[in-house]
């Protein structure tokens, strides 16, 4: 975390837009502050399995309350335009504009995705008793979160969850030798994914190849292809040090000016966390970020913390499609979860 925070500060020495760079560094300080709290200010705190389970349950309940409030606002809303042939736009606009709890649909979907991973963990590890009512309650909570997740249709989050679920089911079949159960769930998953890609407007565009070829404001794929093209070209011009945290967006905007005015007006970031580090801090910054991810994955694997491992994989997959660390609402959760699950293990487990 210290290296991840230090590199942006060093990049101020060669970036031109220092004022904008300082705002980026202000956000990046989370990489330093949260580990400082966990390992320096309160190093004596040990998170027990019981406390960990309570946190997981609280997280699930809080996201479900959020989902219920958003669904209620969607039901009573009669002002937001319902875009023709773009079915999920209304829901995404509403969730972002709700007073006090409004959230960008991507970040809201990340929270919902983490909640669903936690619910799966509780079922698998039996952290709750096998009482029928508690099991049914968990199923209800998961359905509420799934409904909002599908309505928001954040493709990267949904696709990541599908991959994780396939991994989990394959592991169930291979390791636990539950072939019948695993195959049944895989079949149900296949049918569900087929329906999702057929009837959901935003998911359906992923299998429409024409959305990748020309710029069309109705298709997010169309924007992303051009954004990634600009991001890669910008990176190629300064691969070793990047442009610094202050100038990276200016370089992207300059490229957008030659692509399309819509891209320039919205000043899109790279929509890829790996490219974001590469453009701002070059290969050194990207390598540092990759070391952070790999080290935490190895830690989770070595300590046999399956839940932590799935969370790391979930984030790594979503980093391909979003700059999740560009906002505090995304960065705080990521850094908190990493440190929360690392502090959960006693040193003896790592010897």
């Amino acid at each position: 975390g210290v290296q991840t925070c230090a590199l942006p500060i060093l990049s101020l020495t060669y970036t031109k837009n220092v004022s904008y760079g300082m705002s980026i560094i202000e956000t990046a300080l989370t990489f330093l502050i949260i580990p400082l709290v966990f390992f320096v200010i309160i190093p004596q705190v040990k998170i027990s399995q019981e406390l960990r389970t309570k946190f997981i349950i609280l997280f699930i309940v809080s996201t479900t309350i959020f989902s219920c409030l958003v669904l209620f606002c969607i039901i009573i809303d009669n002002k937001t335009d319902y875009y023709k042939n773009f079915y999920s736009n209304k829901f995404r606009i509403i969730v972002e504009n709700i007073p006090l709890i409004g959230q960008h649909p991507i970040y809201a979907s990340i929270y919902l995705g983490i909640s669903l991973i936690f619910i799966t963990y509780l079922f698998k590890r039996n952290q709750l008793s096998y009482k029928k009512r508690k099991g049914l309650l968990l199923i209800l909570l998961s359905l509420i979160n799934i409904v909002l997740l599908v309505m928001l249709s954040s493709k990267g989050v949904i696709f990541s969850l599908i991959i994780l679920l396939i991994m989990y089911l394959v592991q169930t079949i291979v390791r636990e030798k539950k072939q019948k159960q695993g195959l049944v769930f895989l079949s149900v998953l296949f049918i569900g994914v087929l329906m999702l890609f057929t009837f959901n407007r935003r998911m359906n565009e992923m299998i429409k190849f024409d959305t990748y070829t020309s710029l069309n404001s109705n298709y997010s794929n169309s924007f992303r292809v051009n954004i990634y093209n600009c991001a890669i070209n910008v990176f190629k011009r300064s691969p070793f040090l990047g442009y610094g945290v202050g100038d990276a967006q200016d370089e992207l905007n300059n490229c957008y000016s030659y692509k399309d005015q819509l891209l320039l007006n919205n000043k899109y970031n790279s929509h890829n966390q790996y490219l974001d580090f590469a453009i701002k801090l070059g290969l050194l910054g990207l390598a540092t970020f990759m070391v952070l991810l790999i080290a935490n994955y190895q830690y989770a694997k070595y300590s046999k913390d399956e839940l932590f491992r799935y969370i790391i994989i979930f984030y790594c997959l979503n980093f391909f499609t979003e700059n999740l660390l560009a906002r505090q609402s995304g960065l705080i959760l990521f850094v908190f979860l990493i440190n929360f699950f690392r502090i959960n293990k006693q040193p003896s487990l790592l010897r």
Side-chain angles (χ1 to χ4, degrees):
V2 175
Q3 294 91 332
T4 311
C5 188
L7 287 175
I9 296 175
L10 290 175
S11 75
L12 289 177
T13 59
Y14 57 88
T15 194
K16 296 178 182 177
N17 195 341
V18 177
S19 59
Y20 180 71
M22 289 298 294
S23 67
I24 300 296
I25 289 175
E26 182 181 352
T27 301
L29 285 175
T30 300
F31 272 114
L32 181 62
I33 295 172
I34 292 180
L36 185 68
V37 171
F38 271 105
F39 296 99
V40 178
I41 298 178
I42 53 172
Q44 73 281 2
V45 174
K46 299 298 180 184
I47 299 176
S48 65
Q49 185 63 46
E50 182 183 2
L51 180 59
R52 174 174 174 169
T53 302
K54 287 181 179 179
F55 165 74
I56 290 172
I57 294 173
L58 180 62
F59 191 94
I60 293 169
V61 171
S62 64
T63 56
T64 306
I65 293 173
F66 171 78
S67 295
C68 290
L69 290 173
V70 172
L71 290 171
F72 175 75
C73 291
I74 289 174
I75 291 171
I76 66 172
D77 180 85
N78 58 7
K79 297 180 180 179
T80 308
D81 291 332
Y82 193 93
Y83 290 92
K84 185 179 180 181
N85 297 326
F86 205 81
Y87 307 129
S88 60
N89 251 19
K90 177 179 180 179
F91 312 137
R92 295 170 69 86
I93 292 172
I94 291 174
V95 74
E96 194 164 10
N97 293 332
I98 297 175
L100 300 179
I101 65 169
Q103 185 63 266
H104 189 285
I106 296 296
Y107 295 93
S109 298
I110 288 292
Y111 279 74
L112 296 173
I114 294 291
S115 182
L116 291 171
I117 293 174
F118 283 165
I119 290 173
T120 304
Y121 168 78
L122 290 181
F123 270 116
K124 180 175 175 57
R125 293 300 181 187
N126 190 26
Q127 298 300 315
L128 298 177
S129 65
Y130 269 121
K131 289 183 180 179
K132 187 176 181 180
R133 284 183 297 180
K134 289 185 178 180
L136 290 175
L137 178 59
L138 276 180
I139 293 174
L140 176 62
L141 297 182
S142 64
L143 287 176
I144 293 172
N145 287 320
I146 288 172
V147 167
L148 181 59
L149 183 65
V150 172
M151 292 174 75
L152 296 179
S153 298
S154 296
K155 292 175 288 186
V157 176
I158 293 176
F159 196 67
S160 299
L161 288 173
I162 291 172
I163 291 176
L164 286 180
L165 189 53
I166 292 173
M167 289 174 58
Y168 170 73
L169 292 175
V170 170
Q171 177 180 301
T172 300
I173 294 173
V174 175
R175 290 187 183 178
E176 302 179 18
K177 298 181 180 180
K178 297 180 180 179
Q179 286 86 353
K180 291 183 179 180
Q181 291 178 340
L183 290 174
V184 168
F185 281 114
L186 276 174
S187 300
V188 172
L189 175 63
F190 175 77
I191 295 172
V193 170
L194 186 63
M195 293 178 63
L196 186 64
F197 277 80
T198 302
F199 298 108
N200 184 280
R201 165 63 178 77
R202 282 177 57 84
M203 299 303 295
N204 180 255
E205 75 175 64
M206 294 184 68
I207 57 177
K208 287 187 175 181
F209 294 104
D210 58 323
T211 65
Y212 297 92
T213 55
S214 59
L215 191 61
N216 186 325
S217 59
N218 285 326
Y219 298 104
S220 62
N221 283 353
S222 177
F223 280 102
R224 286 178 183 275
V225 169
N226 288 276
I227 289 170
Y228 293 153
N229 183 271
C230 273
I232 292 171
N233 288 333
V234 167
F235 166 69
K236 286 180 179 178
R237 294 202 300 269
S238 182
F240 299 107
L241 293 177
Y243 299 89
V245 292
D247 295 348
Q249 188 61 51
D250 291 336
E251 293 294 328
L252 286 173
N253 293 342
N254 183 54
C255 180
Y256 296 155
S257 66
Y258 294 98
K259 289 283 185 181
D260 191 276
Q261 195 64 34
L262 282 173
L263 295 175
L264 180 61
N265 290 342
N266 288 283
K267 297 181 179 180
Y268 290 110
N269 59 37
S270 63
H271 279 66
N272 181 302
Q273 195 64 65
Y274 305 108
L275 284 173
D276 182 63
F277 273 94
I279 294 171
K280 289 176 179 176
L281 306 172
L283 291 174
L284 178 60
L286 177 60
T288 301
F289 182 56
M290 293 300 295
V291 167
L292 172 71
L293 296 176
I294 294 171
N296 280 284
Y297 179 83
Q298 290 297 327
Y299 177 93
K301 183 178 179 180
Y302 185 71
S303 59
K304 298 181 180 180
D305 191 338
E306 189 176 37
L307 176 59
F308 189 24
R309 187 165 63 89
Y310 276 119
I311 289 174
I312 294 296
I313 296 173
F314 176 72
Y315 271 104
C316 287
L317 291 172
N318 279 283
F319 285 152
F320 280 106
T321 58
E322 296 295 338
N323 287 18
L324 294 179
L325 309 184
R327 299 190 186 193
Q328 289 290 6
S329 54
L331 179 60
I332 290 175
L333 179 63
F334 173 70
V335 179
F336 176 84
L337 288 176
I338 284 180
N339 289 279
F340 179 82
F341 283 105
R342 284 189 71 97
I343 202 173
N344 182 58
K345 298 298 179 185
Q346 298 293 332
S348 59
L349 291 175
L350 304 177
R351 291 173 185 169

